[in-house]
Amino acid sequence: MVAFYADENVTDELVQALRGYGHDVLTSFDDGRANQGIDDPDVLARATQLGRVVVTNDRWDYHRLHEQGTPHDGIVTYTDDSDYPALAARIDAAVAPHLSLTGLLLKVIRPSRPQKP
């Protein structure tokens, strides 16, 4: 299972769903760092200091940090989806094949909804 660091954009419903898959999820709130306007590079550095993978829907900033070569223990970004159990299942499936996420960026995307005829 993965040790995640959930930034303050991650809902409690998703945190609980990920914990249901056995993942160890530390939230920025639990870490005493919520609602302080902490910049994303500092959040990533904190997660790395703790040996945790950042999970966030703040995709563009974290993709940029990864592309700049910022060292990290892993980043998982996702597109918004209010079906938190399904989103947690997609995140779990994305991380499952990896023995380590160090230096990896995984993008979890909500599937397209079928078009009505």
Side-chain angles (χ1 to χ4, degrees):
M1 295 300 115
V2 174
F4 283 116
Y5 190 93
D7 77 358
E8 60 187 358
N9 297 320
V10 178
T11 65
D12 189 54
E13 293 88 352
L14 180 55
V15 168
Q16 295 307 320
L18 287 169
R19 287 177 177 159
Y21 279 93
H23 298 292
D24 174 9
V25 184
L26 176 67
T27 67
S28 59
F29 180 79
D30 295 335
D31 192 29
R33 298 170 61 86
N35 302 316
Q36 296 179 28
I38 297 172
D39 292 332
D40 294 332
D42 295 327
V43 172
L44 185 59
R46 175 67 174 158
T48 302
Q49 175 187 26
L50 297 172
R52 291 179 173 269
V53 174
V54 169
V55 60
T56 182
N57 67 349
D58 191 4
R59 298 184 316 271
W60 309 122
D61 290 337
Y62 283 91
H63 292 183
R64 182 179 42 78
L65 289 167
H66 174 74
E67 290 166 5
Q68 290 173 348
T70 304
H72 58 82
D73 281 2
I75 301 170
V76 175
T77 64
Y78 62 89
T79 52
D80 286 326
D81 187 347
S82 60
D83 184 349
Y84 299 111
L87 176 55
R90 287 194 304 278
I91 291 171
D92 181 65
V95 301
H98 302 279
L99 295 176
S100 170
L101 294 174
T102 300
L104 295 181
L105 168 66
L106 301 180
K107 301 174 186 178
V108 177
I109 300 170
R110 182 182 65 211
S112 299
R113 291 189 164 61
Q115 298 291 327
K116 293 183 180 181

